[in-house]
Amino acid sequence: MILDLKERKLFYIKTIKKEWALSNQDIELLEILKDGNFHTAQELVEKCNRTSDIAIITNLSRLRKRGIKIKAKYGVGYKLENTLNILGEI
């Protein structure tokens, strides 16, 4: 996956050639999850300045519906299953 910050789009390159426009919330979450480590919902709330973990879970659900593989492990947190490369700067 490639996240293009300048164009604010996410691209799948290898087997599926798709692109999506992303919201600010989507970009914030992807930038945090790109390290491949698990992050708790509470940690994501704090880093994204959200009011609740429900908002984070809803955002993660929306990203999953777009085909982004996000692993959830009960009691541990969330992480991206794929590598994310970031192009450009905001």
Side-chain angles (χ1 to χ4, degrees), residues 57-78:
I57 292 168
T58 301
N59 213 183
L60 291 171
S61 176
R62 185 174 54 241
L63 290 171
R64 283 184 175 135
K65 287 179 184 175
R66 293 180 175 178
I68 298 170
K69 294 183 180 184
I70 300 170
K71 184 174 184 173
K73 190 169 185 181
Y74 183 78
V76 178
Y78 303 90

Side-chain angles (χ1 to χ4, degrees), residues 10-51:
L10 179 70
F11 299 90
Y12 279 97
I13 300 298
K14 290 184 180 178
T15 57
I16 305 170
K17 296 186 179 185
K18 295 182 180 179
E19 69 176 67
W20 292 282
L22 298 171
S23 69
N24 289 338
Q25 295 85 8
D26 295 338
I27 291 172
E28 286 176 340
L29 279 174
L30 289 171
E31 286 183 325
I32 294 166
L33 296 173
K34 73 178 179 185
D35 65 5
N37 297 321
F38 279 100
H39 298 273
T40 65
Q42 186 58 39
E43 180 184 350
L44 295 173
V45 167
E46 291 168 5
K47 289 184 177 181
C48 293
N49 296 317
R50 296 290 186 291
T51 57

